[in-house]
Amino acid sequence: MKCQYCSCTDSKVIDSRPTEEGSSIRRRRECIGCGRRFTTYEKIEMLPLMVVKRDGRREAFDVQKIKAGIMRACEKLPISMPQIEAMTGRIEQAAYAGMDGEITSQRIGDMVMHELKSVNDVAYVRFAAVYRLFTDIGDFMQELQKLVDENAGNRS
């Protein structure tokens, strides 16, 4: 690791520990050349994951797009950022876990809907309205009726 102060390539690790999220390792290093200390982070290199869109196009998986969609669905609702981060993390983990190098946008949308449904019905319906491309009020009402029926069944 190259020292940021003197550009020497020799350093020794003084301390090593996982970050709070557990997704990387934080290392304190001391430069052999100048004796100054600096911090480096080591994390797993994620293999590329491609998203296959409805029209057959492929684009790189972008977890920020998922987070933005969830945030839009949760706007003005009592859903915290830690909850949104947790949902986003679970979806990202599931996308990479079942990875064949590709995942369909439909599968991602289904995972988002599953997460939102478990957190807030209004956020779920908001996302479903965009994701399912409802063409008329009848389609929308069918989805609402399914939700009402499921909630009634859960109360029994």
Side-chain angles (χ1 to χ4, degrees), residues 133-147:
L133 301 174
F134 294 135
T135 53
D136 61 32
I137 193 73
D139 294 341
F140 188 69
M141 291 304 290
Q142 278 182 316
E143 189 67 31
L144 285 175
Q145 190 58 52
K146 281 196 303 190
L147 190 60

Side-chain angles (χ1 to χ4, degrees), residues 5-148:
Y5 304 108
C6 71
S7 298
C8 179
T9 55
D10 289 332
S11 66
K12 63 181 179 181
V13 176
I14 297 169
D15 181 40
S16 188
R17 65 180 68 168
T19 59
E20 289 178 23
E21 315 85 51
S23 61
S24 63
I25 303 287
R26 177 185 182 270
R27 299 195 194 282
R28 285 294 291 160
R29 295 178 176 271
E30 184 175 308
C31 177
I32 302 298
C34 68
R36 295 180 80 175
R37 294 182 177 188
F38 58 97
T39 302
T40 61
Y41 292 89
E42 179 182 324
K43 65 185 253 179
I44 295 173
E45 181 179 3
M46 300 299 264
L47 297 173
L49 178 62
M50 298 304 286
V51 177
V52 181
K53 306 296 263 180
R54 286 182 179 147
D55 63 4
R57 287 180 301 117
R58 284 168 170 70
E59 65 180 47
F61 177 80
D62 183 358
V63 74
Q64 293 306 315
K65 283 185 172 185
I66 294 167
K67 185 176 181 181
I70 291 172
M71 288 176 68
R72 258 190 314 278
C74 296
E75 237 173 59
K76 297 182 182 178
L77 294 173
I79 300 166
S80 68
M81 274 312 291
Q83 285 176 295
I84 291 170
E85 294 284 350
M87 285 187 279
T88 304
R90 286 190 295 271
I91 293 165
E92 181 179 25
Q93 185 177 19
Y96 278 102
M99 187 177 126
D100 301 334
E102 293 185 339
I103 187 170
T104 64
S105 58
Q106 180 178 353
R107 176 76 183 116
I108 292 171
D110 290 344
M111 289 190 285
V112 171
M113 287 184 55
H114 175 76
E115 288 289 334
L116 287 172
K117 193 173 195 177
S118 68
V119 172
N120 186 285
D121 289 341
V122 173
Y124 166 78
V125 171
R126 283 180 182 171
F127 186 83
V130 173
Y131 168 65
R132 292 263 169 92
L133 301 174
F134 294 135
T135 53
D136 61 32
I137 193 73
D139 294 341
F140 188 69
M141 291 304 290
Q142 278 182 316
E143 189 67 31
L144 285 175
Q145 190 58 52
K146 281 196 303 190
L147 190 60
V148 168

